[in-house]
Amino acid sequence: MKGPRETDFAYQAVYRYLINLIGESAGEEHVRLPSLRQLAERLNVSISTIQYAYSLLEKEGRVYSVAKSGYYAWPAPAISTLYCGNDLLESVYVNARRPGMLVLSSDDPALSQPIDSPLLLLERELLRQYPRQPQPNSQPCGEWELRLALAARYTTSPVRCWHADDVYIGADLRGVLEMLIAVLDLKDATVIVESPCDWAILRLLRSAGVRVIEWSLLANGSLHHERLEELLEAESVRLVMVSSGVNMPHGSQASDDDREIVARLLSRHDCWVLENDCYGELGFEPDGLRFRDLLDPERLMVFSTFEKVIGPEAPYGYLLSRHLSAQWQRQFLLRAFRLSPIRQKAIARLYSNGRIDQHLQVLRRRLKDSKTQMIDLLGERMSDALQFVDPEGGATVWVRSLRRVDVHRVYQRLLKHQVVVAPGELFSLQGLHAQHMRLSHSFGSDHDLATALGLLGDALRLELID
């Protein structure tokens, strides 16, 4: 496990080992899995690495833990067969969880560089400092220390400043966005989003009855400000959602000039601006303007999650807002999120002691290296079949078929070879990006990547549309 290559991705190797172990017992009832210590000794890695791999599997619903007993695999007799339903997104999720799949559809940048050991070490220290109380004080909007750390991180000047009272922390990103929809009363309202857009956000808006207008990026990743101006003039827009840094899944980062033009347009219209900062710190070159540097803070809100930077040990979502505090507090009280105060304090310490910045430097370098490897392979093997954006951040590559293909059939053909990709139509509600796909570049070994791309090339050639 600790060879020259494997150490960089130790818990990914443990994760794959456990996936195969679970697959071998498929169909059996509630199989007990090896303990943390047993696996650490067997695989010659740290206990925290084993714990991190188990936490990923638990989040995915493959295993569950029993206090003082250990981890057990859920019985999964049906997971070995292909999903046959009509919902493409559900098919991607289900098939990505099948044992033995090469998951080229994922977007988990933190997996390239775990930070679980420092986080769990801090948590153990804090547990000694803050012994559990019978009735701990409730902080429904999040642990104060973490809110204070985030406010300081987002403050850039006496004018563009944030305070702990402006920060709200929820159990996950979906929960935070659901509250935003309720607070801003977005049902039946018009919202403009950059396109392509994260499928989880799009489906959440649609399920809440929000009218979504997609504002497509230009092919080179520039912001199409003429189109935005047309939409703002023609529609009664309640909110515009923009990317803070890198637009994902496109992988591009708008220039400062682009952002300034768009900021001037937005300032002339009476609508909220919501900045998506989930990938704001995952640009390979993190310098550059953000919309929060250019817009009036009184019309701006920012949302993000720790998960993309820290990983599944920190699934919380958060939002910064300098207004509507009474409505936010009411929503959080109604939700009554039960978040671990010690875990939140540990995350806060990662920010305040500078550990998160050290982690980000290594994570960006790892992501950039894996991106370069994939771009080189795509250029060598598939330059005649695919056009792709050289991503400026994140863990994925956005590609487009140069010839017209049936991407649904490409997707199905790859499933038969145990490869999962993310078709581009998932990132639109209006049928855009039908010739695109999102591919992960940080998911496994060099051999796995080369094999998956070879199968993708074959599928593209076999599913051409005349």
Side-chain angles (χ1 to χ4, degrees), residues 434-453:
Q435 294 297 298
H436 291 78
M437 286 173 284
R438 186 190 73 183
L439 308 178
S440 171
H441 61 68
S442 61
F443 76 105
S445 69
D446 299 351
H447 173 73
D448 289 343
L449 181 57
T451 299
L453 291 182

Side-chain angles (χ1 to χ4, degrees), residues 448-463:
D448 289 343
L449 181 57
T451 299
L453 291 182
L455 292 167
L456 174 60
D458 293 340
L460 289 169
R461 284 187 289 274
L462 290 168
E463 299 301 342

